[in-house]
Amino acid sequence: MKKLFSTLCLVSCISSTVHAQEFSPEQIQQVAQVREAAINSDLSWQILESLTTEIGPRLPGTENDKKAVEWAQAQFKALGFDQVWIEPATFPHWRRYHESASIITPSEQPLHLTALGNSVSTPKSGIQADVVFFETLDELIASPEGSLKGKIAFINYRMNRHIDGNGYGPAVKARNSGAVEAAKKGAIAYMMRSVSTSHHRFAHTGGSHYKTGVTKIPATAVANPDADQLARLFKNGHKVQVKLNIQTEDLGEGTSYNVIGQFNGTQYPEQYVLIGGHLDSWDLGTGALDDGAGVALTMAAAKHISDVKRPKRSVRVVLFAAEELGLWGAKAYFKRHEKTLDNIVAAAESDFGADVVYGFESNVSADALPVVREIAKQLAPLNVKYIRKNTARGGPDLIPLKNTTSAPIFALHQDGTDYFDYHHTADDTLDKVDPKKLQQNTAAYAVFTMMAADAKTKISGK
Amino acid sequence: MKKLFSTLCLVSCISSTVHAQEFSPEQIQQVAQVREAAINSDLSWQILESLTTEIGPRLPGTENDKKAVEWAQAQFKALGFDQVWIEPATFPHWRRYHESASIITPSEQPLHLTALGNSVSTPKSGIQADVVFFETLDELIASPEGSLKGKIAFINYRMNRHIDGNGYGPAVKARNSGAVEAAKKGAIAYMMRSVSTSHHRFAHTGGSHYKTGVTKIPATAVANPDADQLARLFKNGHKVQVKLNIQTEDLGEGTSYNVIGQFNGTQYPEQYVLIGGHLDSWDLGTGALDDGAGVALTMAAAKHISDVKRPKRSVRVVLFAAEELGLWGAKAYFKRHEKTLDNIVAAAESDFGADVVYGFESNVSADALPVVREIAKQLAPLNVKYIRKNTARGGPDLIPLKNTTSAPIFALHQDGTDYFDYHHTADDTLDKVDPKKLQQNTAAYAVFTMMAADAKTKISGK
């Protein structure tokens, strides 16, 4: 009954009255002005080009990571943010130095692979061993004890392509725990098909984990065409031997910094809309899609708003540190601010590339839904649909927030159909970003952020 | 007047009468049977899969090249060819051992590049130097004497995408002579944008040359996204320093083998249709498009013909050696057979990938055009258009034949729009071949080869 009432009310009363309640005609006019400015500006592109070209890869703890922290502060200041500051975050500092591999039998040929993040090294001279083939992690887990003694385990699980990236979760299991499960059976190294939808010869890196009490073995991912090659060799009954040399280093605890820029609110400056992305990237590409785009478009969105006005509440752009190694910047941020998380009136992270935003979804209290619907109306001209489920999960750096609070979370859903063609590979470079789509993203973030910050009602979570 | 007559005759007399003259209804029926068999068979795919999977890269002089020669002989025999033999060819034996590069300033980041074929090494510890940027080879040539002393020259010329690959010639000039021109101005190394239409991070190798009296400097090609990165750094006014380590070896004269299989003709066995591809490949990919496809589809085409009949003339499949290093197998073949080249009644090489054959073109005497038109008719059901220009150039391995004789040359024009996305890169792997398109290619070669071998008239060149 409650639901029916809501629906009736939505049709008969809210749409005609909330507008006046939440946003004045002047405010709506300002939103349109910001949207127009963002959709016609190359500011987010300029920021993204600068980050990915002049700095490039930004693995946490590297010299480039330090440069990125300096760069971000300078950018915020140049854009006129009212406040710019950094907050430390520690993380396990890991470095990749060398990786090479070949198929040895039946014929020698290069194998394109990469070490997973956190992987240990092989001996300096590498290892050479027979490969045992599995289609899935479950198949490997079901293999007899000791059956992989002295062998290299290989899992060929294929990631599925989907607009919302739903193939990633199932595929990433083999990345998270494959090396542990292989080591339990006696394997001396682990290879997996890349968690990637690419048909090109790029291996996909990403976080992996070891378990206390289980031998740490080198953990790697093989480019998809190379995984196909291995699969064909097995299908044709060949004994496959592989030579592998991985040199990495665990450098203990590292420190990097969340970089934060804020435009202060005029009425409730302590309250803020949190938007952002993560400043770090994997070391293989230049982190254009992951997550230079999120960094650039949220910085630019805030700037476009400030060009028109300062909303009632603050607009805070948080560029998280060390996301790729385990959300370390996000954990530090939400821990440091745990007593004031109620001040967050809306939080959204852009960390899914730079293809168009097709959907807008909230995760807020019922009271806040009228504001959400007004925001959705102003996103519609950008071809962003309102997804009414109200179950948004936000980006990865919002997980610590979502897990510990009932903060109001938003998702500006991006089309992720092609995202995993590039994600975590050397091929994640600036040319993969479409400037027009980046503008649409920037405009969508600007509209959402401005309205959430400037609404009459403070948005609250559920 | 002569032309008008031909045109009139084409309409009024030839189309109705040549059929009976050149091919009996039974022969046309046999052609249809071969075409149907080829379009429905996975034989060419199986051959291609075997070559690219079980052997992989086939740089002339390597162990894999030797294996490929063995493999090809075994394949010909297994397919039931009447004669299988090899003929030696020598070539300059060159090997790639190591290549790595980084941009050093303004930030350190990996640079994806590859040594051009024939490139000398850097010192073992590599070199590090400032880069000088040129848009074209002509710009470099126009630069002042000594202006590149101690520098690395970089040419950013972009290859144009076209169905017939016409962007390759202009772009390849900088590959052929860029290192020489750069060395003349004092450069210590040479980098060029890849001769490639790819948007992915694969560097394109290929033949390059030095000149007596000019210092040999390391010659490399940079992946296109990396060339873009360099271009942006220059555009933004940065001084760009690059570190480069190339280790290669000139191993003197090597020997490999053309591998030849023949189905003997029933009436004029000394006369033959020559089809084929080249067996070698660059070392980066597995040579699926270049030129495993040509090898596989011409072998399969001949086999499909033999399943139906032996034509009047022989069908000879020549798998040329060491094409990539300078057509060495082709030179050896046509030199060795120079006294009997009149026996070639038609020659066509497939060496342009595996996309669909869209056009059929001859380069023959006027007497032979009626036969050509009959062949074109039987290719039409495969969506192959007859290109009447009669100026076919054939594949690269036919250049020595074309340059020294008036042999009848044919081209089965393939759609090369995407060919240079993969050509000479690590990404030239089996998954880039579409099985259906490979079948269409095989069927087109089978139809052409069978009819040229079985026509009443011996086709002659002009």
Side-chain angles (χ1 to χ4, degrees), chain A residues 130-137 139-140 143 148 151-158 191 193 226-235 238 240:
Chain A
D130 289 348
V131 178
V132 182
F133 181 91
F134 300 99
E135 284 292 355
T136 63
L137 177 62
E139 253 187 29
L140 185 156
S143 68
L148 301 180
K151 314 276 191 187
I152 300 171
F154 170 62
I155 295 177
N156 192 40
Y157 183 86
R158 280 165 198 272
M191 305 193 305
R193 187 184 183 87
D226 297 72
D228 291 341
Q229 185 83 325
L230 290 168
R232 278 191 297 269
L233 287 168
F234 282 105
K235 182 195 75 181
H238 291 285
V240 180

Side-chain angles (χ1 to χ4, degrees), chain A residues 45-46 49-50 52-57 64 67 104 106-110 112 199-202 225 228-229 232-233 235-236 238 283-286 422 425-432, chain B residues 45-46 49-50 52-57 64 67 104 106-110 112 199-202 225 228-229 232-233 235-236 238 283-286 422 425-432:
Chain A
W45 179 268
Q46 293 302 334
E49 177 180 315
S50 172
T52 58
T53 305
E54 286 159 33
I55 298 173
N64 281 11
K67 285 186 183 181
I104 297 300
S107 278
E108 189 160 351
Q109 44 184 307
H112 287 228
H199 297 292
H200 299 290
R201 236 169 149 190
F202 297 108
D228 291 341
Q229 185 83 325
R232 278 191 297 269
L233 287 168
K235 182 195 75 181
N236 294 342
H238 291 285
D283 49 345
L284 300 176
T286 62
Y422 306 111
T425 74
D427 210 24
D428 178 3
T429 50
L430 181 62
D431 50 298
K432 308 312 180 303
Chain B
W45 179 268
Q46 292 303 332
E49 177 179 315
S50 172
T52 58
T53 305
E54 285 158 34
I55 297 173
N64 280 12
K67 285 186 182 180
I104 297 301
S107 278
E108 188 160 352
Q109 44 185 309
H112 286 228
H199 297 292
H200 300 289
R201 238 171 146 188
F202 296 108
D228 291 342
Q229 185 82 327
R232 277 190 298 269
L233 286 169
K235 182 194 76 181
N236 294 342
H238 290 284
D283 49 345
L284 301 176
T286 63
Y422 306 110
T425 73
D427 210 24
D428 178 4
T429 51
L430 182 61
D431 51 298
K432 308 310 180 303

